[in-house]
Structures are given as C-alpha cells and as structure tokens.
Amino acid sequence: MNTVGHNDVSGLDLVPFRGVRYVPERVGSLAAVTSPPYDVVVRPDGLLHLESADPHNIVRLILPQATTPAARNRQAADTLRTWLSEGILAPDDEPSLYVYEQRDHDILQRGVIGALRLSEAADGIVLPHEGVMPHVVEDRAALMRAASANLEPLLLTYRSGDDDGHEPQGAMAVVERTARREPLLSTTTEDGFHHRLWSVTDPAEIAEVRSDLSHHQALIADGHHRWATNLRLRAEHPSPSAWDFGLVLLVDTARYPLRVRAIHRYLHRLPVSDALAALGDSFRIRTVGGSLDHALEALAETATKGNAFVLAGDGAFHLVDHPSQDLLARTIPHDRPEAWRTLDATVLHSTLLDHVWQIPDTPEHIAYIHDTAATVEKAERDGGTAVLMHPVREEVVRDLARQGVTMPRKSTSFGPKPATGLVLRDLTF
C-alpha cells in the first residue's frame, strides 16, 4: 500500500498554477532552450554548451554566471523579468495542471505537473530518502528568493496500485485521456527524448486528479535539495502564501516505472594505486579486462552477491568486492535497518571513505557524477579515482523512506528527469 494512513494526516495536495512557458516564435527552438536539472549539468563544458545553444537557454536562470553569489542571483532575477517583459517567456492565461510525457526508444513516462503543498517529512506525505548539504540549500534558496520563482520541478513518485493490466483510475485516467489530445508543445532534445506537454484546465478533471492524489503519499525521486529549499522559503513567509507550494512532477510508478541508475563518485585527491593499496586484504580486488562496458557487466553480475565497486582512473578497471565482515562490523553503524547497513553507498561512505581512505565528504575531495563514462574520463585525465556504483532498486528506497531512514546522499538516480525550461512557476502571478 502507498496510501496515507487514517491518522488525520491529509495526502498530496496538488493545485493548478499559471505556468510560465517559452513563446515558441521568440526562440530558436524549444529543445535549444531546455536544460537538464541544475545538478546534472556537467560544468564547465556542459554549461557552455547550453549557453551557446540559444541566448535564452534556461541554464542562464538556473545556473547564472557572475563573480559573486549575490551578483549571480540578481542576474537570474533580472534575466527572468527581462524575458517576461520582452515576451520571450509568458504566463498561461489560466491556472492549469500539466500532463507531461517523456519518451525515448525504450521508455515512456507520463505524469502530472502542479504546485504541491509543502509538508515536513514527519507528516508522512512526502518522503525524502537522502540528506542534504546546507550550503547547497542556501545557494538554491538565495536564487529562488531573488527570482520569486520555482524554476524547475522536482520528480516525485507515488504508487496507485494500478498497472498496465488495469484501466487507469483517478489522476492516471486524466493523464491518459489528456495524452490523446493535441499538446501545447512537442520537442525532441539532443539526448533523444521526445517531450510533450498538455494543460488541464477543466475543473472536473482537476478535481478528479486532486481527489485521487489526496489519498497518496509520494517519494522524492529527484530534488531533495530543492524540496529542502522550498521548506526553508516557506518558513520565511507568513502563511498563507505562494511559498506554501512547490513545483513538482508526480509519476505513478505502478504504471510508469522509473529508470534507476547509479550516481558515481570521483575522488579528486586519491590516485587509483593509493586507493587499491589502502584496501589491503580487506576486499577482493580483480582487474577486469576490456572496455568500460565489460567492467560494468562484471559489476552487474555481483548485484545479488554483496557489496561491489569498480575503481578506475589508471587505464584499467578494478572490481572490488567481498569486503571483510569484521571490517564492516567495525565501521558501519548498528542503529539502522539491515537494508540500510548493506547498501553499497553505506559501505562506500562508512567503511571506505570514512575509515579506509579517510576522505571527507566535501566538494574539494568528492564529486558526484551521473554519467559513467564522464566519471572515468575525469579520473584518467586528472589522476584521481572513479568509484563506479550499482543502482539501488526503487522499492528499497521507498521502504527505507517509509521507516524514516535517510540513505547516504546521492545513493541513486531516478529518471528520466523532467527537462528544465518547459514550464516554470512564477510566484508573482
């Protein structure tokens, strides 16, 4: 079950809003003004690529470039107001919920975008599964505060109990009916994903969506820092206010399962030779011949056999597995559920980073990179160590979140993530 219990706690409260969207006639193409989420953009190369794709690319709002944080935030706010005044961006005429579809050669994902009433984790309505870094929350809060806008949606999941074998009900029935209509926009981004967006303005359909979602809880799949940022900004503004809500995409994973991928680590100051030497005989180490694909296949074969990682950066791939049980017993906290204690991310952070390699979890020492090849390339170029990870299954994440257990941050990457720039929420409308 994924419904909210009968404990006087309401469920998800999703409301329509006047979406702000690019005016197609004023930009080169909708694909050229979109961006991945701010924390997925590879900097500086990816940032420069997006900035050069179109002078109005959304990256100029979510990752403004200036010499100081205050200047960056002012620049984003000024750019947003300029684009609105010049008609580059424009608000829709009436409040809407938005049905959003992403499709590539092997995945179809549909969900509904709206403004979701914010709630604390203790309320049991929106469940986080990762901790956040205070400096990132402060950075995002300053940007959103200056812009008075939700610039990109979080990705949240819920489970209706329906699947492909049943006629959809409630919110998903509205989503499926809407997807048969002519969309507001349709574009294909350079990653091969085709995006379509529809508005839902009919009061009866909005009521159908809201009534259904009010019985469900959601898991934050992507956007923990933005959720924490929303909560901070809500606390700064007397309620009721527009800051009581945040921009989200809700996907029913009973009908549209997400793709789950790992987030890899790059250790700036640790050469591979030193990383392997420090392991001693506490892990089994095998060099895997061939390409990155071969190394990932070898890693995948260990998925049900215990903790394993691939270390790279010296021109080879080293499969590290079979950790010493005595070492794990000494380094992993015992006050968490077994499912948490056996996570690869837990072993990496508690055992390897904290104990064996003694590396602090700070940006100067560790980078979190979604792209596997980019992680290896950076390690080989800069002389550090790439640590390649297994993905974590969604049901493990959800079960831990229901228990109120926070996973090591950046433990997994859910997707496909919504493209940034298709619809914004300006809090001044």
Side-chain angles (χ1 to χ4, degrees):
M1 288 288 288
N2 190 227
T3 56
V4 175
H6 300 289
N7 55 0
D8 297 325
V9 175
S10 61
L12 299 167
D13 183 13
L14 191 73
V15 302
F17 68 102
R18 288 182 68 194
V20 170
R21 298 185 294 111
Y22 281 98
V23 177
E25 296 78 16
R26 299 299 309 277
V27 296
S29 73
L30 289 173
V33 294
T34 64
S35 164
Y38 80 96
D39 58 338
V40 181
V41 176
V42 178
R43 286 170 271 189
D45 294 349
L47 185 64
L48 294 173
H49 173 72
L50 290 165
E51 286 183 330
S52 61
D54 188 284
H56 301 109
N57 188 284
I58 194 69
V59 78
R60 296 180 186 273
L61 299 183
I62 62 172
L63 290 172
Q65 299 300 293
T67 54
T68 68
R72 289 196 292 271
N73 297 330
R74 283 196 304 272
Q75 179 175 300
D78 291 345
T79 300
L80 175 59
R81 298 303 148 200
T82 298
W83 289 356
L84 284 164
S85 66
E86 293 179 349
I88 306 299
L89 292 167
D92 286 333
D93 292 334
E94 55 186 319
S96 305
L97 296 177
Y98 296 87
V99 169
Y100 176 45
E101 177 188 278
Q102 294 162 276
R103 183 196 296 267
D104 72 356
H105 62 280
D106 63 1
I107 195 168
L108 169 66
Q109 179 172 290
R110 288 177 180 151
V112 59
I113 295 174
L116 183 68
R117 184 178 297 276
L118 303 175
S119 59
E120 300 289 345
D123 296 331
I125 299 171
V126 175
L127 305 176
H129 68 267
E130 292 182 357
V132 297
M133 300 181 70
H135 75 275
V136 177
V137 175
E138 181 51 46
D139 175 73
R140 290 291 102 185
L143 175 65
M144 288 172 56
R145 193 183 296 118
S148 292
N150 298 151
L151 299 173
E152 46 189 338
L154 291 78
L155 174 60
L156 273 60
T157 73
Y158 72 102
R159 293 188 67 83
S160 66
D162 295 333
D163 58 31
D164 289 335
H166 297 81
E167 189 69 23
Q169 304 293 321
M172 286 312 302
V174 174
V175 166
E176 300 302 332
R177 288 199 304 269
T178 303
R180 294 194 288 267
R181 304 170 188 163
E182 189 69 21
L184 289 174
L185 63 86
S186 177
T187 190
T188 301
T189 46
E190 65 180 9
D191 59 2
F193 269 97
H194 187 61
H195 307 261
R196 296 197 294 171
L197 189 77
W198 298 261
S199 63
V200 178
T201 58
D202 180 79
E205 290 193 317
I206 290 173
E208 188 175 356
V209 172
R210 296 190 65 198
S211 175
D212 179 24
L213 293 177
S214 71
H215 299 290
H216 291 284
Q217 63 183 182
L219 174 74
I220 301 176
D222 186 67
H224 284 81
H225 285 93
R226 281 166 281 167
W227 184 258
T229 297
N230 286 333
L231 291 174
R232 173 177 294 193
L233 293 169
R234 180 186 68 168
E236 296 175 2
H237 295 82
S239 187
S241 79
W243 295 100
D244 293 341
F245 296 81
L247 183 63
V248 305
L249 165 64
L250 274 162
V251 174
D252 177 4
T253 54
R255 190 166 186 87
Y256 294 109
L258 268 63
R259 177 185 289 159
V260 185
R261 290 176 171 165
I263 302 177
H264 309 295
R265 276 64 167 160
Y266 171 66
L267 311 180
H268 294 277
R269 303 178 183 181
L270 182 69
V272 175
S273 58
D274 292 349
L276 294 171
L279 294 177
D281 59 0
S282 59
F283 283 77
R284 183 174 69 173
I285 303 170
R286 290 175 289 162
T287 299
V288 181
S291 64
L292 173 58
D293 287 342
H294 287 124
L296 294 177
E297 289 173 7
L299 181 62
E301 290 172 0
T302 69
T304 60
K305 303 175 183 177
N307 305 113
F309 313 90
V310 167
L311 307 188
D314 61 351
F317 299 100
H318 309 277
L319 181 64
V320 174
D321 63 357
H322 289 198
S324 160
Q325 295 304 304
D326 289 341
L327 176 63
L328 298 183
R330 286 188 285 109
T331 56
I332 293 178
H334 293 271
D335 59 347
R336 305 286 182 89
E338 179 72 11
W340 181 89
R341 292 168 53 222
T342 55
L343 288 170
D344 285 340
T346 298
V347 173
L348 174 62
H349 284 262
S350 296
T351 302
L352 289 173
L353 294 174
D354 292 350
H355 180 79
V356 176
W357 295 328
Q358 298 182 2
I359 294 176
D361 191 0
T362 62
E364 299 80 38
H365 290 271
I366 303 176
Y368 293 81
I369 305 175
H370 293 73
D371 185 272
T372 310
T375 312
V376 174
E377 289 166 7
K378 184 170 180 60
E380 293 184 341
R381 183 177 65 245
D382 298 344
T385 295
V387 183
L388 307 183
M389 308 275 290
H390 286 128
V392 182
R393 300 190 313 278
E394 181 189 354
E395 55 267 30
V396 173
V397 177
R398 190 180 298 276
D399 287 346
L400 287 171
R402 284 178 182 155
Q403 298 176 59
V405 177
T406 300
M407 298 175 66
R409 70 187 189 89
K410 302 294 185 183
S411 293
T412 196
S413 175
F414 290 100
K417 305 177 192 303
T420 299
L422 296 181
V423 60
L424 288 63
R425 177 175 175 251
D426 190 318
L427 276 66
T428 63
F429 290 116

